[in-house]
Amino acid sequence: MDESVDADSPIAARGATWPQTLVGVGVLATGLALAFGAIGISSEAGYGGVGPNFLPWLVSIVLTVCGAWIVWEARNGGFRDMDAPSGAVETYWSGFVWVSAGLLLNAALITTIGFIFSCMLCYLLAVQGLRRASGQGGVNSPRTWLVDAVTGVLISAPVFWMFTQFLAINLPGLTSTGWL
């Protein structure tokens, strides 16, 4: 009698469902924790007829439903039709450092160089890390750096202007005009 287990058999799939179950339990616990926190937020109606507790309750309900659904899916055979994992077998730490540096420098410099340029720097460094992780060529060329910097400004400037000019939400800028 052959006791080897086929990779597509239900026995082999059962072992793969535990990580999926743990993810579902984590999402479910996050939703319940948010609901517990939302209990203490005032429900007095504010601008637009909704209170400040509306969004926390909405997010907690959605996370709780999604977490329960993930657990149910995982316990009933796991996620079906999943693609095979792609990417490198080992972690690419250099890319992680590039992306982390972008995030940390953005947080550290946003009040010094303004929203637009700090977000551009974050984008520039994160894209460099992702390009290097995927093995793209020409990551050190000045043209690549320039294109990424311009793209970062083209993404962050409209966001800045939307918040400061149209929504009247103050974000750190270089000038007091609200345009840079």
Side-chain angles (χ1 to χ4, degrees):
M1 204 164 159
D2 183 21
E3 294 193 23
S4 64
V5 178
D6 182 25
D8 295 328
S9 74
I11 294 170
R14 207 174 305 139
T17 61
W18 278 108
Q20 297 169 7
T21 302
L22 292 176
V23 167
V25 168
V27 172
L28 184 63
T30 302
L32 293 173
L34 273 172
F36 180 73
I39 290 171
I41 299 174
S42 169
S43 63
E44 282 187 40
Y47 180 76
V50 296
N53 69 347
F54 173 75
L55 192 58
W57 274 113
L58 179 66
V59 170
S60 67
I61 289 168
V62 169
L63 281 175
T64 302
V65 168
C66 288
W69 192 354
I70 292 170
V71 170
W72 182 83
E73 280 287 332
R75 300 313 320 150
N76 287 296
F79 304 131
R80 296 153 197 86
D81 303 324
M82 279 181 51
D83 292 336
S86 64
V89 177
E90 296 179 9
T91 304
Y92 187 75
W93 290 107
S94 176
F96 173 77
V97 169
W98 278 94
V99 173
S100 298
L103 291 170
L104 294 172
L105 284 172
N106 183 15
L109 297 175
I110 195 166
T111 57
T112 306
I113 64 173
F115 179 88
I116 295 174
F117 294 117
S118 67
C119 288
M120 179 270 300
L121 181 62
C122 178
Y123 177 84
L124 179 70
L125 295 176
V127 168
Q128 278 294 315
L130 295 173
R131 287 184 194 281
R132 292 167 193 271
S134 68
Q136 287 185 8
V139 292
N140 287 326
S141 76
R143 183 184 185 285
T144 301
W145 283 85
L146 181 64
V147 167
D148 291 344
V150 169
T151 304
V153 168
L154 290 175
I155 292 170
S156 61
V159 172
F160 178 76
W161 296 328
M162 179 66 70
F163 276 89
T164 58
Q165 299 299 316
F166 301 113
L167 298 176
I169 297 173
N170 292 331
L171 292 175
L174 274 179
T175 66
S176 60
T177 64
W179 289 99
L180 184 61

